[in-house]
Amino acid sequence: MNRVTYSSPNKLTVGYRIPVKVNLSVGVERPHSFNREYKKVRGILSLKNPPDLMMDLSLMLAKKELWEVIRSEFDVPIGVLPHYAIFNESTGLDEAELLERIEELFKSGVNFITIHCTPNHELLSLAKRTRAVPVTSRGGGIVLRDMILNQRKANVYELLFEDICKIAVQHGGVINLGTSFRAGSVADGFDQAAKEELAVQARFCRMAKAYGAQVILEGPGHIPLHKLADYHKKIKALEVPPMPLGPIVSDSDDDLDHISSAIGAAQFMMTAKGGIINAITAVEHKGGVPSQRHLAEGLRVAKLAAQIASATYSKEALQVEEDISKIRGVSESCVLDAKKSGCSRCGHVCPLLSSNYF
């Protein structure tokens, strides 16, 4: 099962040897933020090249949730993290409420959910011993806090996993197995904690497939470029589409996180030959909420990374590059939107204009 089909109004298939798709995430973090995010969504959907998927990362419930706004105007697959909006700082997560929310989301038009099944006390202890920052996953952090609040021996998603898989199968939904211990910096990228978590992810992946559920795999956020191949070797046997968060391959210039991520994503997706890239913005680690301009820029760079990777194995993507080459040949200019042949940079020594001499 190395392909997944999202049963959205406009069906979308992702996976092996299919052109790479791009997800863009939005979300409401405070009650007064809803209108702001709604406007951003409208702006993103008006772009010439919109995202292939979208995720709602909202931290609170609303009369009309942000994902519902997206669904009313956009026919692509939509994802939600079910536990985000129902986590209570005092009591954690209620099992019945979480299961009910998952079923309602799938019934109402959500196509995939990200769940964090991997948190356990052993991995947390390892991460605390070996990392400067043990946990940077927001979703994983919520599940860990619930474990501690409710003194659980196993996390809430592990307890409910069979039921969640059955609900997903019933409604044609997809399960994205999230990472709770992905590294928060390249220096810790694919360290022992990440490797041991991946082994736990693999176990849940096999279980989900045994129940008949469609699965995608969330991956590393920060990882050195040379370790991407090692990561891919570890997940290849699982035969599920990867959906890495980034991967950001350098933390050295946080103004260019979206560029660093695109470099890592292109490299990884070329190796994996298919999957989903998560668009990263230039303010990923600036502490602020990305503007519409930031989202659009991050999306554009991620789309370019997807094209770069896809062109290495997909005839459809390669045709885009070939069409550009033909345009340059016919117009005798490397400037794609040139109104006339030649350009001010090369002038009378333009090699394209002079090609008839060669």
Side-chain angles (χ1 to χ4, degrees):
M1 191 191 294
N2 53 14
R3 292 186 177 185
V4 162
T5 299
Y6 294 91
S7 300
S8 58
N10 178 18
K11 285 192 176 182
L12 181 77
T13 300
V14 301
Y16 188 64
R17 301 203 74 86
I18 295 174
V20 178
K21 303 303 188 294
V22 175
N23 171 69
L24 181 68
S25 297
V26 292
V28 177
E29 76 285 350
R30 293 180 180 86
H32 65 269
S33 305
F34 185 85
N35 287 335
R36 180 198 68 202
E37 292 301 312
Y38 176 59
K39 289 177 182 177
K40 283 198 284 190
V41 166
R42 292 288 300 269
I44 290 297
L45 299 186
S46 68
L47 294 174
K48 182 180 179 181
N49 196 4
D52 304 298
L53 309 89
M54 291 193 76
M55 286 194 74
D56 179 0
L57 308 185
S58 296
L59 299 177
M60 59 198 59
L61 298 173
K63 190 172 183 180
K64 187 172 186 180
E65 295 187 50
L66 191 59
W67 74 262
E68 294 179 277
V69 174
I70 299 170
R71 169 59 69 231
S72 67
E73 303 200 18
F74 207 23
D75 61 358
V76 301
I78 297 173
V80 173
L81 286 91
H83 54 300
Y84 266 25
I86 61 171
F87 174 71
N88 184 292
E89 289 189 76
S90 300
T91 60
L93 294 164
D94 179 83
E95 294 176 33
E97 183 184 11
L98 181 58
L99 207 57
E100 182 181 345
R101 175 155 173 79
I102 290 170
E103 184 156 27
E104 186 58 34
L105 286 169
F106 277 137
K107 279 182 178 179
S108 303
V110 166
N111 308 104
F112 66 104
I113 58 171
T114 297
I115 62 176
H116 293 77
C117 308
T118 55
N120 61 48
H121 297 287
E122 292 76 18
L123 281 173
L124 179 59
S125 177
L126 174 61
K128 288 171 70 175
R129 289 197 314 271
T130 58
R131 291 178 173 177
V133 181
V135 180
T136 58
S137 164
R138 186 164 66 176
I142 289 173
V143 175
L144 282 164
R145 286 175 66 183
D146 171 73
M147 279 183 64
I148 294 166
L149 278 170
N150 290 298
Q151 300 181 333
R152 301 184 193 273
K153 292 183 178 179
N155 75 70
V156 67
Y157 277 121
E158 183 172 3
L159 295 172
L160 299 175
F161 192 70
E162 181 177 353
D163 290 330
I164 292 170
C165 289
K166 289 178 178 178
I167 291 170
V169 171
Q170 181 182 355
H171 298 285
V174 177
I175 295 174
N176 178 26
L177 294 174
T179 51
S180 300
F181 294 94
R182 62 180 183 272
S185 63
V186 171
D188 291 331
F190 207 38
D191 61 359
Q192 192 59 33
K195 289 176 182 177
E196 292 194 17
E197 179 181 37
L198 183 54
V200 180
Q201 268 186 308
R203 176 166 61 86
F204 281 103
C205 180
R206 288 189 287 267
M207 287 170 58
K209 290 168 75 172
Y211 289 125
Q214 296 190 96
V215 186
I216 52 179
L217 190 72
E218 190 175 278
H222 299 249
I223 185 171
L225 195 63
H226 68 283
K227 290 187 179 181
L228 284 171
D230 293 337
Y231 174 76
H232 180 256
K233 286 178 184 177
K234 295 282 188 182
I235 69 168
K236 187 177 181 181
L238 298 176
E239 295 188 323
V240 293
M243 187 177 176
L245 296 176
I248 291 175
V249 292
S250 176
D251 298 315
S252 61
D253 191 337
D254 60 2
D255 285 323
L256 299 178
D257 276 340
H258 57 316
I259 305 298
S260 178
S261 174
I263 292 169
Q267 173 70 34
F268 179 72
M269 288 300 171
M270 178 188 70
T271 304
K273 292 183 172 59
I276 301 167
I277 293 174
N278 279 284
I280 301 295
T281 72
V283 294
E284 185 73 13
H285 296 99
K286 292 293 186 180
V289 177
S291 65
Q292 183 180 320
R293 179 181 63 81
H294 290 134
L295 289 172
E297 182 181 30
L299 175 62
R300 185 178 181 184
V301 172
K303 284 275 190 173
L304 177 58
Q307 169 62 19
I308 290 168
S310 299
T312 65
Y313 64 85
S314 164
K315 289 182 179 179
E316 179 183 339
L318 184 58
Q319 187 63 51
V320 173
E321 307 297 337
E322 291 177 350
D323 289 344
I324 291 170
S325 179
K326 289 175 184 175
I327 291 170
R328 285 176 170 156
V330 170
S331 64
E332 295 185 319
S333 174
C334 58
V335 182
L336 293 177
D337 59 352
K339 297 293 186 287
K340 60 180 181 179
S341 297
C343 67
S344 57
R345 182 176 183 181
C346 295
H348 67 284
V349 295
C350 172
L352 279 75
L353 283 174
S354 305
S355 60
N356 59 318
Y357 291 106
F358 304 145

